[in-house]
Amino acid sequence: MARDCGFEECQVLKTHGCGQLRAEHAGEQVTLAGWVHRRRDHGGLVFLDLRDSTGLVQVVVHPDAAPAFEAASDVRSEYVVQVQGQVVARRDGTENPEMPTGSIEVAATSIVVLNEADTPPFPVNQETDVVEATRLRYRYLDLRRERMQRNLRLRHQVTQFIRQFMDADGFIEVETPVLGLATPEGARDYLVPSRVHPGAFYALPQSPQQWKQLLMVAGVDKYYQIARCYRDEDLRGDRQPEFTQLDVEMAFVEQEDVLDLAERLYLGLCQEVGGFTYPETFPRLTYAECMERFGTDKPDTRYGLEIHDLSGYVRNSEFQVFAKVVQEGGRVRGFAVPGAADVSRRGLDALTEVARDAGASGLVWVQFAGEGPLDGLAADDIKTPIARFFSPDDLAALGKACGAKRGDLLLIAAGPDALTSRVLDVLRRQVAEERDLADPERLDFLFVTEFPAFEWDEDGERWSAVHHLFTAPFPEDVALLESDPGAVRSNAYDLVCNGQEIASGSIRIHSRETQLAVLRTLGLTLEEAQMKFGHMLEAFRYGAPPHGGIAPGLDRTVALFAGERDIREVIAFPKTKSASDLLTGAPAGVTPEQLAEVHILLDEEARQALAARATGVHGADEDDA
RNA sequence: GGCCCCGUGGUGUAGCGGCCUAACACGCCACCCUGUCACGGUGGAGAUCGUCGGUUCGAAUCCGAUCGGGGUCGCCA
């Protein structure tokens, strides 16, 4: 389809990036190539906005440049064109200060269509709402949009920074296998059948955990990897079946060394990316402290709404709901919402509903009218359903305990410890959302430490590891492994930011005996332990150094810096909630021959499901003839 | 696995038993327009309402199933 000046005659397809041109280029002959962002046809004069990865520039086509003018009138959105012309300063009054290239334009002498384009299924040249499914189906078009280009570049910037930072700190990047051994603990594995070993399966790594520990034994004492991880669990906005971790491990370190590294890395990233306020040093809270003050192990600390214990004030009160809970070992806790004394009954009912959904049997609220400290309150100054059980002074005491002033609202929950934490956490987030308390320009990083090592799994009726089974217990708690696993604290830590877990890590077990003890606590027999983790136990016999590490989620990190809620917005080709790829149609059935090779027989359910898919879903579309 | 929401021209929405032979915006097509930059003007094409089944004299509108997307709880060491 060579037209006009066939582009194959040209030395280069382009001499400049569209977005690079400035007033200083005025007078230069340039050749540009890119997509037609928008066409404005004035009849006697045509404007094209030309877009490439560097940005936009306006091309003006005059009728006297005849071949170019003809070509310009046939051109449509998203056509790929090559433009030759001269950069000229725009006439007075026609500059566009909104555009970086707005002081100049390119007067076209030649326009070559390198490729035509169908009308895109959704606008590429503007930010509009398009349902997720359509965006994913045409992801290559979605990614052309400015926002996604920006996110991809930011992701690159982040990974570049990380590599430089880690290198400068003496770490080396080591790649580890994707085909590995299935592990009994943790998330469901993605399995890969072996052709050579009938009936045997590889598992894709949930993380390179064991490999990196083996690298420590191998004497690679500062390892990192930007590693893909796979978990076959149900998905959310912040979870994909495959995701990326910055996997880090160090030998001869203690918790402080790892936290220090993570802090320096994220401080560096904050500086590198810019545009956010962030703490100079990251606060450190123990798990217990965190649950006490925020009701969660991943608090959003951009707003206060800190939780306070009110049990002591209500233990002997006439309000039986409170008194009874406390006497039965539960607690009464609450927090103050500044300036919320005017929240309507309806709003309070809505909050009560939220509390109920979280498992509370109810929610007690107290509103203090007026301004100033909670002194000399009259009954009229207080609105609350529990007025007849408490004197104004009693209620003021509750308010003061939560740091409330007049004009504030008090929200109080009662029940077992875990319940009040959950309820108040949900309420904190709800209130912050409603009242818009979270500053989007802020990144509130903090570390949470001293996690419990084990939690009781009701379904499995056994203990399971909170972090993972290689996490070192506190030395002074090792004795409790047999007698009271729930009381064992572990040397694990999280990096939290704005209510999200950003990174998670621990000091690992490097002693075979301790590892065996932990496996025993988790209910594995010696035989099972040997079968599943024999390679680790064996490695620990050969001089395993003390070691530990951390694994920040790269997708979440980038989403945080991009101001995106959903990690899909920072992943080039993400999957849907049901883990399918709408662009290629994966996963899909394979030929009977392929199945036979890997010794797999489909059951009835699988055959029916595949047949149903064949009639319903499409893959990529047909070619146009 | 449970619960909830969504599925209407290319895109986003409106319509929620007969007034729908389906509306609006953007986009698309044609014509006009020499300075726009979300150009403007005039005209036009385009969906049987995800799919299947049912209720009804009558369904986009009600019911059921199913497929797809999303949210949430469980799950995610």
Side-chain angles (χ1 to χ4, degrees):
Chain A
M1 73 141 80
R3 304 188 186 181
D4 309 326
C5 97
F7 74 85
E8 54 278 358
E9 293 171 20
C10 302
Q11 290 286 311
V12 285
L13 281 176
K14 50 190 280 189
T15 58
H16 293 75
C18 296
Q20 295 171 333
L21 298 176
R22 294 290 183 276
E24 72 216 48
H25 295 94
E28 282 184 38
Q29 284 296 135
V30 296
T31 304
L32 304 174
W35 286 266
V36 175
H37 189 68
R38 211 183 288 278
R39 182 173 69 103
R40 290 178 296 280
D41 187 343
H42 287 242
L45 185 68
V46 178
F47 295 101
L48 300 177
D49 288 339
L50 194 65
R51 181 189 71 235
D52 64 17
S53 62
T54 62
L56 281 178
V57 70
Q58 172 167 287
V59 174
V60 60
V61 194
H62 290 278
D64 41 318
F69 188 73
E70 253 168 59
S73 58
D74 290 339
V75 145
R76 292 293 179 270
S77 281
E78 300 309 311
Y79 273 36
V80 184
V81 298
Q82 182 190 40
V83 173
Q84 293 187 338
Q86 187 179 33
V87 179
V88 296
R90 293 203 195 176
R91 297 180 188 180
D92 276 354
T94 67
E95 302 92 345
N96 184 349
E98 307 285 309
M99 294 173 67
T101 60
S103 62
I104 51 91
E105 61 194 359
V106 175
T109 52
S110 151
I111 295 178
V112 182
V113 174
L114 301 178
N115 210 346
E116 299 180 355
D118 287 352
T119 302
F122 52 82
V124 172
N125 56 15
Q126 56 177 291
E127 269 315 309
T128 52
D129 285 338
V130 181
V131 290
E132 198 72 20
T134 309
R135 295 179 56 197
L136 292 179
R137 169 110 203 270
Y138 300 95
R139 189 60 160 182
Y140 42 86
L141 293 179
D142 191 32
L143 292 176
R144 267 189 208 165
R145 306 207 284 181
E146 192 191 353
R147 169 193 181 191
M148 299 306 279
Q149 289 275 318
R150 199 168 54 229
N151 287 351
L152 288 179
R153 277 163 203 288
L154 177 66
R155 188 176 180 121
H156 167 77
Q157 189 188 0
V158 167
T159 53
Q160 278 303 102
F161 178 85
I162 287 172
R163 287 210 158 91
Q164 281 163 19
F165 179 94
M166 297 305 283
D167 177 63
D169 227 67
F171 286 82
I172 64 169
E173 182 163 17
V174 180
E175 292 168 272
T176 54
V178 165
L179 297 175
L181 181 68
T183 49
E185 293 284 313
R188 203 173 290 124
D189 286 314
Y190 272 101
L191 297 176
V192 180
S194 165
R195 174 182 60 84
V196 189
H197 304 278
F201 291 81
Y202 300 98
L204 305 184
Q206 295 173 30
S207 80
Q209 183 61 35
Q210 296 187 38
W211 298 116
K212 68 177 176 180
Q213 288 192 244
L214 292 170
L215 283 170
M216 293 305 109
V217 182
V220 178
D221 58 3
K222 290 182 125 185
Y223 145 92
Y224 85 101
Q225 180 182 194
I226 294 182
R228 196 60 66 80
C229 308
Y230 307 84
R231 295 178 189 178
D232 188 3
E233 294 292 346
D234 285 353
L235 308 176
R236 295 288 155 74
D238 60 353
R239 280 189 236 154
Q240 280 276 302
E242 51 183 315
F243 62 98
T244 309
Q245 277 185 348
L246 166 59
D247 197 44
V248 178
E249 196 78 1
M250 297 179 266
F252 310 110
V253 292
E254 296 188 335
Q255 172 173 308
E256 194 50 38
D257 301 289
V258 182
L259 298 192
D260 174 68
L261 175 86
E263 181 173 307
R264 283 187 292 113
L265 173 64
Y266 273 84
L267 283 173
L269 276 171
C270 286
Q271 275 193 328
E272 166 74 13
V273 175
F276 293 92
T277 58
Y278 50 90
E280 277 175 44
T281 59
F282 298 173
R284 289 161 200 212
L285 274 67
T286 64
Y287 172 85
E289 194 180 349
C290 215
M291 296 302 290
E292 190 58 33
R293 290 172 57 190
F294 304 103
T296 173
D297 60 0
K298 43 181 180 181
D300 192 332
T301 55
R302 286 176 296 174
Y303 43 87
L305 310 182
E306 281 195 34
I307 298 168
H308 298 270
D309 187 356
L310 306 173
S311 306
Y313 298 87
V314 300
R315 174 173 282 115
N316 299 313
S317 88
E318 288 165 30
F319 186 44
Q320 285 307 306
V321 174
F322 281 1
K324 209 169 156 211
V325 159
V326 176
Q327 280 153 24
E328 286 171 356
R331 288 206 292 163
V332 175
R333 301 160 75 199
F335 64 88
V337 185
D342 59 347
V343 170
S344 67
R345 184 56 199 255
R346 198 172 164 178
L348 295 166
D349 286 345
L351 285 176
T352 305
E353 198 51 42
V354 168
R356 287 224 170 90
D357 286 346
S361 36
L363 177 69
V364 168
W365 48 266
V366 185
Q367 290 178 313
F368 300 106
E371 286 178 6
L374 294 179
D375 293 321
L377 288 172
D380 283 356
D381 294 329
I382 306 173
K383 258 195 293 185
T384 176
I386 55 168
R388 62 197 182 92
F389 301 106
F390 293 90
S391 70
D393 283 349
D394 290 341
L395 292 168
L398 294 181
K400 282 180 181 172
C402 293
K405 307 178 301 301
R406 285 173 178 248
D408 295 353
L409 163 71
L410 212 57
L411 296 175
I412 305 172
D417 220 23
L419 181 70
T420 53
S421 281
R422 189 163 86 204
V423 168
L424 292 170
D425 167 42
V426 170
L427 283 172
R428 269 189 91 242
R429 285 184 282 133
Q430 176 71 25
V431 166
E433 170 89 34
E434 279 173 14
R435 304 181 73 80
D436 204 20
L437 299 179
D439 180 354
E441 313 269 282
R442 239 170 94 174
L443 296 178
D444 260 26
F445 289 99
L446 63 100
F447 288 113
V448 182
T449 61
E450 289 185 34
F451 279 84
F454 308 101
E455 63 192 347
W456 183 250
D457 176 357
E458 296 287 349
D459 295 337
E461 294 195 333
R462 61 187 191 89
W463 292 97
S464 70
V466 168
H467 184 58
H468 60 54
L469 53 83
F470 303 108
T471 301
F474 272 37
E476 60 266 40
D477 293 351
V478 168
L480 299 171
L481 277 175
E482 302 236 353
S483 55
D484 187 6
V488 177
R489 289 163 300 165
S490 72
N491 216 323
Y493 32 81
D494 280 357
L495 175 61
V496 170
C497 184
N498 297 1
Q500 274 198 79
E501 179 194 314
I502 294 302
S504 189
S506 65
I507 298 301
R508 326 297 182 187
I509 298 167
H510 63 279
S511 120
R512 180 183 147 82
E513 286 64 38
T514 311
Q515 187 67 69
L516 276 169
V518 166
L519 289 171
R520 216 165 28 242
T521 301
L522 294 172
L524 274 78
T525 64
L526 191 61
E527 200 177 22
E528 289 168 326
Q530 203 57 46
M531 179 110 82
K532 295 296 179 185
F533 301 105
H535 53 284
M536 298 297 287
L537 294 168
E538 186 177 63
F540 289 163
R541 288 176 185 269
Y542 291 97
H547 62 285
I550 192 164
L554 185 69
D555 310 290
R556 287 184 193 179
T557 298
V558 177
L560 200 62
F561 283 111
E564 295 282 5
R565 229 180 197 176
D566 193 323
I567 63 170
R568 278 175 286 213
E569 304 299 340
V570 298
I571 296 173
F573 298 103
K575 295 188 171 50
T576 66
K577 204 204 144 179
S578 58
S580 47
D581 176 354
L582 263 25
L583 204 165
T584 64
V590 295
T591 65
E593 293 73 29
Q594 284 176 294
L595 282 179
E597 267 183 343
V598 293
H599 313 283
I600 286 185
L601 290 173
L602 299 182
D603 66 12
E604 188 54 30
E605 186 186 349
R607 284 199 298 271
Q608 281 181 10
L610 277 176
R613 286 171 61 93
T615 55
V617 192
H618 46 61
D621 251 321
E622 75 285 352
D623 271 356
D624 53 327

